[in-house]
């Protein structure tokens, strides 16, 4: 178990920045500055009354600075966890029930992500108002549009379809 | 060949390619043998971009197989003008026809369209992406003139937006071919294509800015049009255009056996005087579009390409 997690989930810790949750998901070890992109990739914008806590650029032994996202009342599916790997490859996912962490796992890179990213190529058919869901093959060092084959290696978070 | 659709030359193995080329050669030698093969079939032509050779050669090929075509006509005169999606268009025309040929300005359009139809769909060019049936007639022409193994080929011009170039490069990586890409820096191969070629085991690929570095070693020179409209200003175009034009003086440095090809249309990349030399193969190349597309259509129309030929 991560020392960081204990550090910030301990109710007595005077450095506590993000409150504990009762039931839901804690996404820990998100690279600093990516928390809002994590919420975007999960389609969480608060409009449906979700209770969300975000810690940004908090100290971390492993990452120096990290973000933490806590979502009350929602347990992430494996598919959701997998797409997080595109922007938060070091993330750990803690599923919490009744204040206890009952599952803890690392993200894994999927082979394909569907309906999550928008193709940056203006010449791609997926940008033309067609009834098609975006699909990207996940490469070792980026993602590739299944339709126009454009490869994106940098700033993948900017492609998140919000 | 066992494919329901022909979207990209990447989906074709060496065996697939050789099978189509062999069958095209049979048809070329005796077109009457397949003259009534598809007398009850209709081919739908969906051209969202202008085309002369590709469209007319598909039409000719289908008619020479005994079938017929229905043509969407120009975008301006179609329901596309009313805002109909491509997905809807192909689903409607699928109901009228036995196969579809699609040209579209957007990359990936045939890949997407193929997800909406069950009849075979052939990509006749998608934006700066692919043009696999052009590649098959290019390979047929190369095989007739120079052979496909132990081949040294120069591919010159607009390599960035040239879909015929991308498709040809992928297909040639199935063979023992040394590929030299010659272009101004601004029109080099897209990084995606380079990535794929480097992923392909054994692909031999080099990039150059000057033709004279490689011309004497070439068996085939494949010229494409440097598109003036791609350049931000006219001066920049003028600076490079002259470096990529072929005339009889240029060809003095070439092998006597050099085959010069061009997917056409040309503007001024190849001087008309080259037409009269033994190097010129571009009109033969265009002619080959009919038997090659006859072979492709016949194979795809029979059980999604699982024919016996």
């Amino acid at each position: 178990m991560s020392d960081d997690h204990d550090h910030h989930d301990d109710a007595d810790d005077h450095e506590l920045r993000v409150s504990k949750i009762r039931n839901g998901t804690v996404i820990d070890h998100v690279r600093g500055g990516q928390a809002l992109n994590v919420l975007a990739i999960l389609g969480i914008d608060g409009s449906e009354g979700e209770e969300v806590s975000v810690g940004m650029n908090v100290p971390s032994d492993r990452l120096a600075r990290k973000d933490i996202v806590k979502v009350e009342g929602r347990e992430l599916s494996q598919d959701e966890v997998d797409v997080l790997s595109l922007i938060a490859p070091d993330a750990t996912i803690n599923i919490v029930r009744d204040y206890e962490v009952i599952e803890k796992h690392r993200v894994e890179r999927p082979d394909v992500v569907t309906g999550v990213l928008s193709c940056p190529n203006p010449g791609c058919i997926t940008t033309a108002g067609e009834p098609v869901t975006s699909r990207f093959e996940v490469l070792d060092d980026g993602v590739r549009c299944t339709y126009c084959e454009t490869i994106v290696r940098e700033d993948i978070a900017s492609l998140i379809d919000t | 060949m066992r494919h329901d659709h022909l979207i990209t030359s990447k989906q074709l193995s060496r065996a697939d390619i050789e099978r189509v080329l062999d069958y095209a050669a049979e048809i070329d030698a005796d077109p009457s043998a397949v003259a009534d093969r598809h007398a009850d079939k209709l081919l739908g032509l969906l051209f969202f971009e202008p085309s002369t050779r590709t469209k007319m050669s598909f039409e000719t090929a289908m008619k020479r197989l005994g079938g017929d075509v229905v043509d969407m006509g120009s975008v301006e005169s179609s329901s596309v003008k009313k805002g109909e999606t491509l997905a809807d268009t192909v689903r409607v025309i699928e109901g009228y026809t036995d196969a579809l040929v699609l040209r579209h300005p957007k990359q990936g359009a045939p890949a997407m369209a193929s997800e909406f139809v069950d009849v075979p769909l052939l990509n006749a060019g998608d934006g700066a992406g692919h043009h696999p049936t052009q590649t098959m007639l290019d390979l047929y022409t190369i095989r007739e003139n120079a052979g496909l193994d132990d081949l040294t080929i120069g591919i010159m011009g607009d390599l960035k937006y040239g879909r015929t170039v991308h498709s040809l490069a992928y297909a040639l990586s199935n063979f023992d071919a040394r590929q030299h890409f010659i272009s101004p820096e601004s029109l080099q191969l897209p990084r995606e294509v380079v990535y794929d070629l480097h992923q392909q085991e054994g692909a031999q690929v080099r990039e150059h800015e000057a033709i004279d570095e490689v011309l004497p070693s070439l068996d085939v020179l494949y010229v494409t049009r440097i598109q003036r409209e791609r350049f931000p200003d006219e001066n920049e175009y003028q600076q490079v255009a002259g470096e990529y034009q072929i005339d009889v003086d240029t060809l003095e440095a070439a092998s006597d056996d050099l085959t010069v090809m061009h997917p056409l249309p040309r503007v001024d990349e190849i001087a008309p005087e080259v037409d009269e030399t033994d190097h010129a193969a571009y009109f033969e190349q265009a002619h080959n579009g009919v038997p090659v597309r006859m072979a492709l259509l016949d194979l795809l129309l029979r059980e999604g390409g699982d024919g016996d030929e």
Side-chain angles (χ1 to χ4, degrees):
Chain A
M1 179 173 285
S2 144
D3 54 352
D4 300 337
H5 180 79
D6 291 340
H7 186 64
H8 291 287
D9 272 357
D10 184 341
D12 298 328
D13 190 329
H14 70 281
E15 290 187 40
L16 182 69
R17 291 175 174 81
V18 181
S19 62
K20 291 184 75 168
I21 61 173
R22 178 169 186 165
N23 294 300
T25 304
V26 177
I27 306 163
D28 200 356
H29 300 111
V30 175
R31 286 181 184 174
Q34 291 293 324
L36 298 182
N37 288 326
V38 165
L39 289 170
I41 211 168
L42 296 174
I44 296 171
D45 61 7
S47 63
E48 294 177 15
E50 308 96 327
E51 195 175 312
V52 180
S53 306
V54 174
M56 297 184 78
N57 293 315
V58 299
S60 162
D61 291 342
R62 196 198 301 174
L63 299 177
R65 293 284 173 178
K66 67 174 183 178
D67 290 0
I68 305 173
V69 176
K70 300 190 178 191
V71 185
E72 181 73 50
R74 177 164 167 185
E75 294 184 9
L76 294 185
S77 69
Q78 190 60 49
D79 285 348
E80 290 175 310
V81 170
D82 287 347
V83 297
L84 283 177
S85 69
L86 300 179
I87 57 169
D90 309 300
T92 47
I93 310 297
N94 303 285
I95 304 296
V96 178
R97 289 182 193 155
D98 205 16
Y99 297 108
E100 295 295 323
V101 175
I102 57 116
E103 278 180 42
K104 186 180 184 79
H105 44 93
R106 300 286 295 269
V107 298
E108 290 183 19
R109 292 175 75 78
D111 295 331
V112 173
V113 290
T114 302
V116 175
L117 307 174
S118 293
C119 185
N121 174 11
C124 177
I125 190 65
T126 61
T127 68
E130 295 290 335
V132 60
T133 304
S134 74
R135 191 160 67 230
F136 285 78
E137 176 190 356
V138 178
L139 309 176
D140 289 342
D141 60 347
V143 293
R144 179 176 211 173
C145 176
T146 303
Y147 293 96
C148 75
E149 304 183 339
T150 294
I151 294 175
V152 183
R153 292 194 170 88
E154 294 170 1
D155 201 14
I156 292 168
S158 69
L159 307 183
I160 294 167
D161 196 4
T162 54
Chain B
M1 189 164 68
R2 174 70 207 188
H3 302 292
D4 295 330
H5 309 292
L6 180 54
I7 307 299
T8 160
S9 61
K10 281 197 274 189
Q11 73 190 74
L12 299 173
S13 67
R14 177 177 177 136
D16 289 334
I17 292 167
E18 289 181 333
R19 183 169 180 220
V20 173
L21 301 192
D22 288 347
Y23 188 34
E26 278 181 44
I27 291 172
D28 210 2
D30 182 14
S32 64
V34 292
D36 297 319
R37 179 62 61 82
H38 295 291
D40 57 343
K41 297 282 175 54
L42 275 177
L43 179 66
L45 301 179
L46 307 174
F47 280 71
F48 290 75
E49 270 185 344
S51 169
T52 304
R53 279 152 303 279
T54 303
K55 187 173 175 181
M56 288 189 71
S57 67
F58 265 116
E59 187 168 356
T60 305
M62 191 60 186
K63 289 182 174 177
R64 290 208 180 280
L65 290 168
D68 209 340
V69 299
V70 288
D71 186 344
M72 179 184 84
S74 69
V75 166
E76 283 67 30
S77 64
S78 74
S79 289
V80 176
K81 200 68 179 170
K82 300 173 187 169
E84 185 178 60
T85 63
L86 174 61
D88 280 1
T89 302
V90 294
R91 277 182 286 191
V92 169
I93 310 303
E94 174 192 30
Y96 305 159
T97 61
D98 301 288
L100 297 171
V101 175
L102 173 63
R103 168 169 292 190
H104 199 278
K106 292 283 188 183
Q107 277 172 261
M112 185 211 74
S114 70
E115 295 176 358
F116 289 89
V117 298
D118 291 323
V119 300
L121 185 146
L122 293 93
N123 179 5
D126 61 317
H130 301 276
H131 196 350
T133 67
Q134 174 72 40
T135 288
M136 297 304 280
L137 72 91
D138 291 342
L139 294 174
Y140 186 84
T141 309
I142 293 169
R143 192 170 78 163
E144 294 279 299
N145 285 274
L148 279 167
D149 275 315
D150 195 25
L151 173 76
T152 303
I153 181 169
I155 303 176
M156 184 175 84
D158 180 356
L159 311 181
K160 183 174 184 180
Y161 300 102
R163 56 194 173 201
T164 66
V165 170
H166 309 158
S167 284
L168 180 59
Y170 291 135
L172 283 172
S173 63
N174 285 296
F175 298 88
D176 177 21
R178 293 168 291 278
Q179 301 188 58
H180 296 275
F181 293 95
I182 307 135
S183 72
E185 189 177 3
S186 59
L187 295 176
Q188 284 179 340
L189 281 175
R191 297 304 95 184
E192 284 78 20
V193 177
V194 174
Y195 171 88
D196 285 332
L197 293 174
H198 284 156
Q199 294 289 104
Q200 190 81 23
E201 193 174 339
Q204 300 177 65
V205 174
R206 291 186 62 190
E207 295 179 276
H208 311 266
E209 287 193 40
I211 175 81
D212 44 354
E213 292 175 20
V214 291
L215 183 60
S217 67
L218 300 180
D219 302 308
V220 171
L221 176 60
Y222 188 97
V223 184
T224 67
R225 186 166 66 93
I226 294 203
Q227 299 166 87
R228 183 176 296 212
E229 62 272 22
R230 304 292 188 198
F231 285 80
D233 69 65
E234 180 69 14
N235 284 341
E236 199 177 328
Y237 167 75
Q238 292 296 346
Q239 279 175 5
V240 302
E243 298 294 311
Y244 299 90
Q245 290 170 345
I246 300 299
D247 57 24
V248 289
D249 291 337
T250 319
L251 294 176
E252 281 183 11
S255 155
D256 290 344
D257 297 329
L258 175 73
T259 298
V260 177
M261 297 173 61
H262 192 304
L264 303 180
R266 69 171 156 173
V267 181
D268 53 9
E269 308 83 56
I270 303 175
E273 64 203 28
V274 177
D275 301 357
E276 307 306 320
T277 70
D278 291 337
H279 298 297
Y282 26 92
F283 291 112
E284 170 195 344
Q285 183 183 355
H287 162 85
N288 290 336
V290 173
V292 167
R293 291 186 169 113
M294 287 172 75
L296 284 168
L297 285 172
D298 186 29
L299 291 169
L300 283 165
L301 280 167
R302 286 185 291 145
E303 299 176 28
D306 195 24
D308 300 325
E309 299 292 340

